[in-house]
Amino acid sequence: MKNTQKKLKAKQFRYLSKKNIKNPMVYIRDFFQQQTDIINWQNDINLFVITGAYPAMSTGGYPENGYNCHQMIKQMEIAYVIFKQCGLPKHKDPLTLFDTRNDYFNYSYGLELTCNNKRSPYDLIRKFFSYQPLQKWYKTMDDLMEQLTLKRSIGNEHFGDKIVVIREFLIRLAYALYYIYEHGGISIPLPPYVHIQSRKQHEEAESNNETNESLGGPHDIRDEEKMSEMNSAELETKNKGANLKEDATQKITGLYMEAADHLDTVTTLEENMTCIQQTLQSP
C-alpha cells in the first residue's frame, strides 16, 4: 500500500527552502553554530514580544526587529516540518507547564525545560502547535511586528493576557530546537512493534517497488508463490532431461564397448562398423 501522506513543499511556507524541509537539521545547526546562542536568542525573543505587544515601549525601526521576526517565523516553520514529518500527536492540554514537581524545579532553578524530568523537544513542539496552528502563529507574528514598527496598537488590548502565553511558547520553541541541536536530532516514543527506518531507506524501498511494478514483477505474495512454483517445475524438468541424456549416453557407450570385444584386430574398418551396427540393433 502506498503512503498517502502529502509531502511538505516549500510553497506552503514563507521562508523555508526545499533543503530545509528535507533536513531541518541544516537550518538548526547553522543557527546555533553561526548566528547566536540560546541565552541571547531567548533575550531577543523576550524583547521582541514585549515591545511588539506594548507599542509605547517599541524600539522603533531597528533592523534587528525584522531579522528576529524573520528567524522566529522560520523556526516555527522548521518546527512544523518536524511536527508533521514525525507525526507528533497534539497535546490535550498544551497550557500545562509542568508534568511533575521535578519539572517545576528544573525550570525554576536552571531554566531547564523538561517533561518527566527529561529534556523533551518532542513535547515542546507538539504543545506549541496544539495551542494554535501555524497559520495563526503567522498572524500573531505579523500583528506583533506591525505594532512594533508603527508604534501604535492595531486594536484595544489586542493580545490581552494571551501575550504571556505567546511569549512563553516562543521561548519554549527556541529551546526545543536548541535541544535538538545539542542532541543531534529528536527522540520520539514509538510503540514496540514499530521498526525504525530512515528516509533514505524508505525512499529506496519505494523506488524498488515502483521499478518492480513497471517491469511487471510480482505485486503480492500470491504472485511470488506462483513464480516460485513455476521455477521449481522448470528446474525439475531440466534435471529429468539431464538424467535421461546421461543414461542414454552410458547405454550407448556400453554397447560400443560390447561390440568392440567381438572385433578382430585384423578386420577391415568396414567390417568393424558393420559389426557395431549389428550389435546396436540387437535387443
Side-chain angles (χ1 to χ4, degrees):
M1 184 174 65
K2 292 185 178 180
N3 184 9
T4 57
Q5 183 179 359
K6 293 182 179 179
K7 292 184 178 180
L8 298 173
K9 298 180 180 180
K11 65 181 181 180
Q12 297 175 242
F13 303 99
R14 290 188 182 181
Y15 304 124
L16 289 193
S17 64
K18 291 181 180 179
K19 181 171 67 174
N20 295 145
I21 295 172
K22 187 174 183 179
N23 184 6
M25 290 300 297
V26 173
Y27 169 82
I28 294 173
R29 289 194 189 100
D30 176 75
F31 184 79
F32 288 107
Q33 286 179 357
Q34 307 296 332
Q35 306 297 324
T36 187
D37 58 67
I38 187 59
I39 300 302
N40 286 328
W41 183 230
Q42 176 186 341
N43 293 336
D44 288 336
I45 294 172
N46 185 56
L47 181 61
F48 179 88
V49 174
I50 291 174
T51 57
Y54 199 74
M57 300 176 67
S58 173
T59 52
Y62 292 167
E64 289 80 6
N65 294 328
Y67 170 82
N68 291 338
C69 183
H70 175 94
Q71 292 301 325
M72 278 187 275
I73 292 175
K74 197 168 185 178
Q75 290 184 8
M76 291 176 188
E77 294 176 339
I78 287 289
Y80 184 79
V81 170
I82 296 172
F83 179 71
K84 285 297 184 180
Q85 288 182 347
C86 295
L88 305 187
K90 288 190 174 182
H91 198 286
K92 63 180 180 180
D93 190 6
L95 295 178
T96 300
L97 287 177
F98 311 111
D99 291 288
T100 66
R101 187 165 176 79
N102 283 334
D103 296 331
Y104 167 78
F105 284 119
N106 291 337
Y107 182 87
S108 298
Y109 294 103
L111 195 56
E112 189 82 359
L113 302 174
T114 61
C115 177
N116 294 317
N117 208 30
K118 294 181 180 179
R119 286 183 174 184
S120 180
Y122 158 89
D123 192 66
L124 295 173
I125 290 175
R126 71 193 191 105
K127 281 183 177 179
F128 186 87
F129 291 109
S130 297
Y131 176 69
Q132 63 181 23
L134 180 61
Q135 294 302 321
K136 286 191 175 181
W137 278 113
Y138 280 148
K139 181 67 166 57
T140 297
M141 297 303 296
D142 291 343
D143 291 346
L144 285 171
M145 188 63 190
E146 182 177 350
Q147 291 195 165
L148 188 153
T149 304
L150 299 178
K151 295 186 178 182
R152 63 177 177 81
S153 176
I154 59 178
N156 293 331
E157 298 182 355
H158 180 68
F159 293 104
D161 295 340
K162 288 184 178 179
I163 196 63
V164 178
V165 180
I166 291 169
R167 182 182 65 176
E168 186 66 22
F169 270 122
L170 289 173
I171 291 175
R172 284 172 174 258
L173 185 69
Y175 270 90
L177 298 185
Y178 177 70
Y179 291 158
I180 292 174
Y181 162 71
E182 281 203 324
H183 189 263
I186 183 171
S187 299
I188 302 173
L190 297 173
Y193 58 83
V194 175
H195 297 284
I196 299 175
Q197 184 183 53
S198 69
R199 173 184 290 180
K200 184 177 180 181
Q201 291 173 321
H202 178 70
E203 290 176 349
E204 288 176 352
E206 283 192 340
S207 177
N208 291 336
N209 289 337
E210 290 175 359
T211 302
N212 287 336
E213 290 178 3
S214 64
L215 295 176
H219 299 288
D220 57 35
I221 192 169
R222 290 172 296 180
D223 291 335
E224 293 178 1
E225 290 174 351
K226 187 180 294 184
M227 291 290 291
S228 178
E229 290 175 1
M230 291 173 63
N231 291 335
S232 297
E234 184 179 353
L235 181 60
E236 185 177 354
T237 302
K238 288 182 179 179
N239 289 337
K240 286 182 179 179
N243 292 335
L244 290 173
K245 184 177 181 181
E246 184 179 356
D247 292 343
T249 302
Q250 291 177 354
K251 183 176 181 180
I252 292 172
T253 303
L255 291 173
Y256 270 103
M257 293 179 65
E258 182 180 348
D261 291 340
H262 296 85
L263 296 179
D264 191 342
T265 56
V266 296
T267 57
T268 64
L269 177 61
E270 183 178 353
E271 291 173 338
N272 288 342
M273 291 300 299
T274 302
C275 182
I276 290 173
Q277 290 175 358
Q278 291 175 351
T279 304
L280 290 173
Q281 292 173 359
S282 62

